[in-house]
Amino acid sequence: MNAIELARAIPKAELHIHIEGSLEPELIFQLAQRNAVSLAYPSVDALRAAYAFTDLQSFLDIYYAGASVLLTAQDFHDMAWAYFLCAKADHVIHAELFFDPQTHTARGVPMAAVIEGLRSACRQAETELGISSALILCFLRHLSEEEAFATLEAALPFREHFIGVGLDSSERGHPPSKFQRVFARCRELGLKLVAHAGEEGPPAYMREAIDLLKVQRIDHGVAVMQDAALMEELARSRMPLTVCPLSNLKLCVVKDLREHPLKKMLDAGLCATVNSDDPAYFGGYMNANFEQTVQALNLSRDDVVQLAKNSFEASFISEERRRACLAELERVMAR
Ligand code: ADE
Ligand code: ZN
């Protein structure tokens, strides 16, 4: 079995997937029809043709428009269930899903519809597909910290249904420090903490996320390549970085996948993982990310296994579940 075949077959965890970014154009049109929402594009093909991004913001504009078809708990369930079926095909055995409640509550969708719809898909994934999962509520960083506090308040009645909070949306000009107080409150509440940093922003934003927000993982973090001291610190502390290669390519963070820093990150001892970010928009789910990255960077079988191990090391799962995931990895490798 070569490295690509191995990458396809091994069990893995996905830790950086915006569930709204898994909405395929076909499902967007189905839900638009179901909910009588009008779309700016006349057809599935026309919508897909608009997926030519120049940077993060050019993507986010289309991503938020796509999410406008989600209204009911059933919609959120259907979206997440479609994702779990793709995850199963790619041998994802654990997934931590980001969701952006502000995108929905701003349109009058109740927080309960968002969270209960997603939770029911998570439960079904556990019982029918054997995939464990958890939800992470993301604050939109282009909005104010006050709005983040209001969102946290609205979500607290559903506290047992999400394990942590994250920070996403437009990075440049919205440093982690803007959300220091709300993250401190989330920490008091016992929530896990993650944040997007160093996707388009500078390594200084990664430092802020760690020092000021006290995050336990950094989403993306490819800007670590610009700061050798930071790289050394993060390798020593095994701070996980949830890297998304196809996203970085589609949003022009890298010009060519062959220039992606993932291999250098692994060689430096960083706890880097591979993830799909917004698979419906960036050209593929987990295995597409693995296959294309292994090919472009000539990753070895050992690199591939390290990436899978890192994904379980970085997961917010019980030690018992971690042992089971690692045992499953060993079982598949022995085959
Ligand atoms: N929201 C969805 N995908 C995102 C990304 N790649 N970066 C920041 N915010 C996002
Ligand atoms: Zn992301």
Side-chain angles (χ1 to χ4, degrees):
M1 213 187 256
N2 64 31
I4 292 184
E5 291 162 345
L6 183 70
R8 256 184 227 129
I10 51 173
K12 46 190 82 77
E14 171 145 59
L15 306 177
H16 186 159
I17 158 83
H18 301 264
I19 198 60
E20 294 91 345
S22 74
L23 256 185
E24 293 287 348
E26 289 79 6
L27 188 52
I28 290 179
F29 272 81
Q30 259 181 42
L31 296 179
Q33 191 164 32
R34 179 153 106 189
N35 293 327
V37 173
S38 64
L39 292 168
Y41 299 88
S43 67
V44 164
D45 288 341
L47 177 56
R48 213 185 281 279
Y51 293 180
F53 311 117
T54 51
D55 60 7
L56 175 57
Q57 193 60 51
S58 67
F59 154 69
L60 289 171
D61 294 340
I62 286 195
Y63 162 86
Y64 294 128
S68 71
V69 299
L70 297 159
L71 293 186
T72 67
Q74 186 70 50
D75 301 336
F76 287 91
H77 170 98
D78 294 350
M79 168 176 66
W81 182 246
Y83 163 72
F84 280 123
L85 292 176
C86 295
K88 179 71 180 175
D90 286 354
H91 305 284
V92 170
I93 60 172
H94 175 74
E96 296 178 7
L97 276 47
F98 293 144
F99 67 108
D100 286 342
Q102 287 160 295
T103 308
H104 314 300
T105 53
R107 296 179 289 112
V109 176
M111 184 68 81
V114 179
I115 296 184
E116 284 167 7
L118 295 175
R119 269 317 300 171
S120 82
C122 291
R123 277 192 299 270
Q124 193 177 346
E126 178 86 54
T127 55
E128 294 182 22
L129 306 175
I131 300 177
S132 56
S133 63
L135 298 175
I136 297 178
L137 180 160
C138 286
F139 300 119
L140 299 181
R141 70 201 304 160
H142 67 274
L143 301 178
S144 68
E145 186 178 47
E146 199 182 337
E147 287 162 293
F149 265 116
T151 302
L152 176 63
E153 205 56 46
L156 281 183
F158 311 95
R159 169 68 185 85
E160 78 266 32
H161 296 315
F162 60 100
I163 59 162
V165 297
L167 187 64
D168 65 2
S169 191
S170 322
E171 184 180 11
R172 286 197 199 115
H174 301 285
S177 52
K178 181 177 162 186
F179 294 91
Q180 207 171 329
R181 285 146 298 258
V182 74
F183 268 67
R185 177 73 189 122
C186 292
R187 194 153 166 253
E188 285 170 2
L189 290 165
L191 288 157
K192 308 281 188 203
L193 307 176
V194 302
H196 282 53
E199 178 185 16
E200 281 188 344
Y205 282 19
M206 296 176 64
R207 284 192 187 277
E208 280 194 10
I210 294 165
D211 297 341
L212 304 182
L213 304 188
K214 317 241 179 263
V215 298
Q216 293 148 288
R217 288 199 306 242
I218 289 188
D219 299 309
H220 292 292
V222 287
V224 72
M225 303 309 293
Q226 301 163 34
D227 184 334
L230 180 64
M231 172 123 83
E232 213 170 287
E233 275 171 48
L234 299 194
R236 204 177 319 117
S237 65
R238 294 290 288 167
M239 170 64 70
L241 304 178
T242 63
V243 179
C244 307
L246 288 181
S247 165
N248 294 152
L249 179 65
K250 293 289 156 42
L251 300 188
C252 308
V253 171
V254 295
K255 281 204 298 288
D256 190 298
L257 215 45
R258 286 170 297 189
E259 290 166 23
H260 196 281
L262 183 68
K263 172 71 176 156
K264 292 194 182 88
M265 296 170 92
L266 287 175
D267 289 347
L270 290 166
C271 184
T273 65
V274 164
N275 307 271
S276 70
D277 205 4
D278 299 284
Y281 292 90
F282 299 152
Y285 290 75
M286 278 292 266
N287 277 2
N289 272 274
F290 266 95
E291 286 161 23
Q292 292 183 43
T293 308
V294 168
Q295 177 94 46
L297 299 178
N298 201 17
L299 298 186
S300 67
R301 289 168 48 102
D302 284 350
D303 292 329
V304 165
V305 172
Q306 189 64 53
L307 285 166
K309 285 184 176 165
N310 289 351
S311 76
F312 299 126
E313 177 183 338
S315 292
F316 295 134
I317 47 180
S318 67
E319 288 313 311
E320 184 191 2
R321 176 72 181 141
R322 202 181 324 277
R323 275 194 298 276
C325 290
L326 290 167
E328 178 65 9
L329 177 60
E330 293 299 330
R331 196 184 65 75
V332 170
M333 276 162 30
R335 241 179 20 211

